[in-house]
Amino acid sequence: MSKIQLVAEAKLPTQFGIFRMVGFEFPDSHKEHVALVMGDVSNSDEPVLARIHSECLTGDALHSLKCDCGFQLETALRQISAAGRGVLIYHREEGRGIGLINKIRAYALQDQGLDTIEANEALGFAADERNFTVCADIFELLGVKQVRLLTNNPNKIDTMRNAGINVVERVPLNVGENRYNTAYLATKAEKMGHLIVHDEKHEQHRHGVCYSCQGEQLKSEA
């Protein structure tokens, strides 16, 4: 596969601020990824606050409480905006790389008692099918040399460093815990080595709206 290329960019006003939306594409497969960029991030000795966020339609757009993805996306954009400079790579690897429909199949298996890793493996996939190397290529195309990475996943740090991106700091992103995703977060910590700290106080209270608490008010599942 040929190396990913920067193919388009435009301004994107959001509730968190005005970003530069940059589109990347593999010429042979036309697979796409995007980055939201704020401020001047290229060729600087000052580390850039950055987030690699893997696509999650259910969490990011449909506000699912089964994961912490949507909470992490909003918090990362808010923190980048507050810093006035940073990058969020939207990594198009839905369901840890298994795709949306297989993710729904995995959800069905989780409803039967399997954890997230067991469900993926029951469908014939690895626990995590994602390739983070492309994100290092995107950082390179944006001119980013040093990052303060918003993540709980050590694998992202290792991949960036192995690809030549200097991760100078890990910035924790422990948000969005609620009664529907506590087991999911525990599985990520215990089986995948994610550095998760349970926060019973709900980080979203700091922003005036606690979606986790709203989730607690939902009717019990049948």
Side-chain angles (χ1 to χ4, degrees):
M1 179 180 288
S2 59
K3 194 169 184 178
I4 199 167
Q5 298 178 358
L6 192 161
V7 295
E9 59 181 277
K11 288 183 179 179
L12 182 70
T14 75
Q15 62 179 309
F16 309 105
I18 299 176
F19 291 83
R20 177 164 56 100
M21 187 175 191
V22 186
F24 301 86
E25 183 182 70
F26 284 104
D28 50 358
S29 66
H30 298 292
K31 186 167 185 177
E32 302 166 332
H33 300 274
V34 299
L36 297 184
V37 181
M38 180 172 284
D40 185 2
V41 300
S42 64
N43 300 313
S44 173
D45 292 332
E46 183 180 354
V48 173
L49 184 63
R51 164 74 179 161
I52 297 170
H53 187 87
S54 295
E55 182 176 34
C56 178
L57 175 69
T58 50
D60 299 342
L62 303 179
H63 308 291
S64 168
L65 296 174
K66 286 177 68 69
C67 63
D68 54 348
C69 302
F71 302 102
Q72 289 187 320
L73 176 62
E74 291 191 10
T75 301
L77 289 173
R78 189 177 287 110
Q79 290 187 214
I80 290 170
S81 180
R85 177 174 177 267
V87 175
L88 183 138
I89 295 175
Y90 199 75
H91 186 222
R92 303 289 305 282
E93 293 279 4
E94 179 73 54
R96 296 201 190 113
I98 68 175
L100 180 59
I101 299 303
N102 281 322
K103 178 180 178 179
I104 297 172
R105 293 185 176 118
Y107 274 2
L109 292 174
Q110 291 168 38
D111 289 341
Q112 298 172 29
L114 275 63
D115 66 31
T116 55
I117 292 177
E118 292 167 344
N120 274 27
E121 292 175 343
L123 292 172
F125 298 105
D128 194 337
E129 295 273 348
R130 291 173 293 182
N131 178 3
F132 292 118
T133 303
V134 64
C135 300
D137 294 338
I138 290 173
F139 280 135
E140 182 179 350
L141 287 170
L142 291 173
V144 175
K145 304 300 182 186
Q146 300 185 80
V147 299
R148 300 171 56 235
L149 196 63
L150 284 154
T151 186
N152 301 325
N153 185 355
N155 184 40
K156 291 181 183 179
I157 297 173
D158 293 341
T159 301
M160 293 306 100
R161 286 175 173 165
N162 290 338
I165 302 299
N166 185 15
V167 181
V168 300
E169 180 185 356
R170 182 186 76 87
V171 182
L173 201 56
N174 290 292
V175 293
E177 183 175 357
N178 64 82
R179 67 187 177 98
Y180 295 100
N181 68 15
T182 298
Y184 162 85
L185 295 175
T187 297
K188 289 207 296 185
E190 294 166 8
K191 292 190 174 182
M192 302 183 74
H194 288 214
L195 305 172
I196 292 172
V197 177
H198 293 287
D199 183 6
E200 296 179 356
K201 295 182 180 179
H202 295 152
E203 188 80 7
Q204 286 72 34
H205 273 311
R206 297 185 184 182
H207 310 302
V209 178
C210 183
Y211 298 104
S212 295
C213 285
Q214 289 179 8
E216 300 291 346
Q217 298 170 5
L218 295 177
K219 293 180 180 180
S220 298
E221 296 172 335

